[in-house]
Amino acid sequence: MTVPLEGLMAINKPIGISSAEALRKLQRIFKPSSIFAETLAAEAAKRERESKGQQRRRRKQSARDLEVKIGHGGTLDPMASGVLVAGIGAGTKQLQQFLGCTKTYEATALFGAGTDTYDALGKIVAWGKEGSCGWERITEEVIEKELGAFRGDIMQKPPIYSALHMNGKRLYEYAREGKPLPAEIQSRPVSTVSLELLSLTSDHEYEYPAEEVPDEEKIALLAFETKPTTAATTTAAASTEEKATGEKRAHSPEPEDEKAAKKVKESEGEGEPVAETDTAEVITVAVETTPAATLPKKPEGKPPVATFRLTVTSGFYVRSFIHDLGKALGTEAHMVKLVRTRQGDYELGGEGVIEWEDLMDKGEEVWGPKVEGILNKWAEEKKGKK
């Protein structure tokens, strides 16, 4: 008997589509494929063995409704590209491990403007200061000096435009509806395994977002996202106060809350939820609100962009890192490009990652052997571990 084709693989998701949309496209390609015929037949047989109650819950789905079962191990925002791990059939049961694994990104920051979403898809909420306190002073040496505060175990505040829940509602839903949050967004412990500056240049084609929020909304957002903080004098005292974004946190041997991770999946970063630690030691960045009359205006000249490579743990928001770095540098910044180059053992260019163009633009004779080879290898490795 032919064994159903299932297991783990990864795709190189392109910019412009959500992770869920990418999986739906895979299902449409895999459904008529000869290599997944046995997989669909096994699913049909499984449904035949289900109880009448289970069958009713499926709302009388017919064989025409059969799809190859696919899930992913951590979403990527539509503006991000790169490694998206996909589980097929029994492989979906192995996806939980990718919520907690380390991931590597290459991210590009544009200085001079901050947005409500912390990326290029949002509206401008703050302009960088002009003169010696603005982006004109940014050099590789200045950036390197500030990066130390973002390495290792730190506290990070997620962006309001994120999929985290508060009182049963996602944060971005409050933002889109213009409603105040029931409580302040709390900083969370995350870790940066490695962080390096790859380049800094003014030779680029990136532009600021066209839309800008009104001054009164800028004030509200700036006041809401952070509040002034003071340095923690002792570990004991810090444990009773909220840790500020950018603070170093005490090392925790088990920083991830697996139960919470099962309940919430976020995008990228839509970082997965992590457990709070109870100590903190060093403060770095505090943000001050600005009266409307003195809000900076659009700076003159062409701002620089910086590209970083960072390996981070679960729960890390790359958008927040870029936003916070801009503040630390005395200006504003938002993310204009994000590529996930690695997730767990899957890396761009590696044998376990299928290029999107092969799947979309080329026939099964091209991508079929690759997909089949990856999934059969997964099955053999799984068998060998038993």
Side-chain angles (χ1 to χ4, degrees):
M1 187 177 90
T2 305
V3 178
L5 195 60
E6 54 189 1
L8 292 173
M9 58 177 283
I11 61 171
N12 183 2
K13 188 192 83 69
I15 296 172
I17 63 172
S18 68
S19 298
E21 185 179 354
L23 295 192
R24 287 193 293 270
K25 287 180 178 289
L26 286 184
Q27 286 181 319
R28 287 196 290 269
I29 292 172
F30 289 166
K31 185 172 182 176
S33 166
S34 61
I35 65 174
F36 285 104
E38 187 61 32
T39 304
L40 290 171
E43 177 64 20
K46 177 183 174 182
R47 293 187 181 188
E48 287 293 329
R49 295 191 298 270
E50 289 177 342
S51 66
K52 291 184 178 180
Q54 289 174 310
Q55 291 176 357
R56 279 196 298 271
R57 283 193 291 273
R58 289 188 182 278
R59 297 179 182 178
K60 300 180 180 180
Q61 289 180 330
S62 66
R64 290 178 299 175
D65 300 312
L66 283 174
E67 301 280 4
V68 177
K69 183 180 179 182
I70 306 178
H72 62 68
T75 65
L76 275 173
D77 284 342
M79 76 164 287
S81 64
V83 177
L84 180 67
V85 175
I88 298 173
T92 58
K93 298 178 181 179
Q94 308 296 317
L95 291 173
Q96 186 65 32
Q97 62 184 295
F98 294 99
L99 296 180
C101 70
T102 60
K103 306 171 184 70
T104 300
Y105 297 92
E106 288 188 6
T108 300
L110 176 62
F111 294 104
T115 70
D116 52 2
T117 59
Y118 296 1
D119 61 28
L121 300 180
K123 299 177 182 179
I124 294 174
V125 68
W127 293 108
K129 298 176 183 178
E130 297 179 357
S132 60
C133 293
W135 51 257
E136 297 92 340
R137 65 180 283 272
I138 296 176
T139 64
E140 291 185 4
E141 291 73 23
V142 170
I143 292 177
E144 287 291 352
K145 182 179 178 181
E146 297 297 339
L147 287 184
F150 296 94
R151 293 189 174 108
D153 297 336
I154 65 172
M155 298 299 293
Q156 184 188 71
K157 181 170 287 188
I160 186 172
Y161 278 88
S162 65
L164 288 171
H165 286 80
M166 185 178 289
N167 287 11
K169 191 172 184 177
R170 295 188 186 275
L171 294 184
Y172 66 76
E173 292 177 329
Y174 288 102
R176 288 174 179 173
E177 294 170 6
K179 295 181 179 178
L181 295 183
E184 184 178 0
I185 301 174
Q186 298 298 305
S187 297
R188 310 183 310 170
V190 294
S191 295
T192 308
V193 179
S194 65
L195 171 59
E196 59 180 316
L197 172 65
L198 298 181
S199 66
L200 176 68
T201 181
S202 294
D203 183 16
H204 62 85
E205 300 300 324
Y206 294 108
E207 299 285 345
Y208 290 136
E211 293 190 67
E212 184 175 353
V213 302
D215 282 351
E216 59 270 18
E217 290 185 30
K218 291 180 184 179
I219 295 297
L221 280 169
L222 288 171
F224 174 75
E225 91 181 358
T226 55
K227 61 183 179 182
T229 54
T230 56
T233 55
T234 65
T235 300
S239 67
T240 64
E241 299 175 356
E242 179 195 351
K243 291 76 166 181
T245 295
E247 280 186 327
K248 291 290 185 179
R249 66 177 174 88
H251 175 69
S252 172
E254 186 62 36
E256 296 163 8
D257 185 338
E258 294 183 0
K259 291 183 180 179
K262 291 179 181 179
K263 296 180 180 179
V264 183
K265 293 181 182 178
E266 294 137 26
S267 61
E268 187 331 359
E270 304 188 9
E272 291 74 37
V274 290
E276 295 290 339
T277 56
D278 59 0
T279 58
E281 296 177 313
V282 183
I283 189 170
T284 56
V285 182
V287 182
E288 298 179 356
T289 59
T290 308
T294 60
L295 277 172
K297 300 302 179 183
K298 182 177 181 179
E300 299 294 330
K302 190 170 185 178
V305 297
T307 299
F308 304 89
R309 179 184 294 123
L310 57 168
T311 297
V312 298
T313 59
S314 175
F316 192 97
Y317 279 85
V318 182
R319 286 178 289 151
S320 288
F321 155 67
I322 288 176
H323 170 84
D324 296 340
L325 177 63
K327 299 288 188 184
L329 291 168
T331 183
E332 301 288 338
H334 64 276
M335 186 175 72
V336 292
K337 184 178 180 181
L338 182 67
V339 181
R340 186 154 71 192
T341 60
R342 183 189 63 82
Q343 184 177 8
D345 294 331
Y346 294 90
E347 189 167 5
L348 285 184
E351 61 180 13
V353 182
I354 302 293
E355 292 299 321
W356 188 253
E357 290 76 14
D358 288 349
L359 291 162
M360 297 296 115
D361 303 333
K362 299 177 182 179
E364 185 179 341
E365 65 277 7
V366 173
W367 58 260
K370 295 179 182 179
V371 171
E372 194 169 16
I374 292 171
L375 296 180
N376 283 334
K377 182 180 179 181
W378 177 86
E380 288 298 321
E381 290 176 349
K382 183 181 178 182
K383 187 185 301 182
K385 292 178 182 179
K386 290 182 177 180

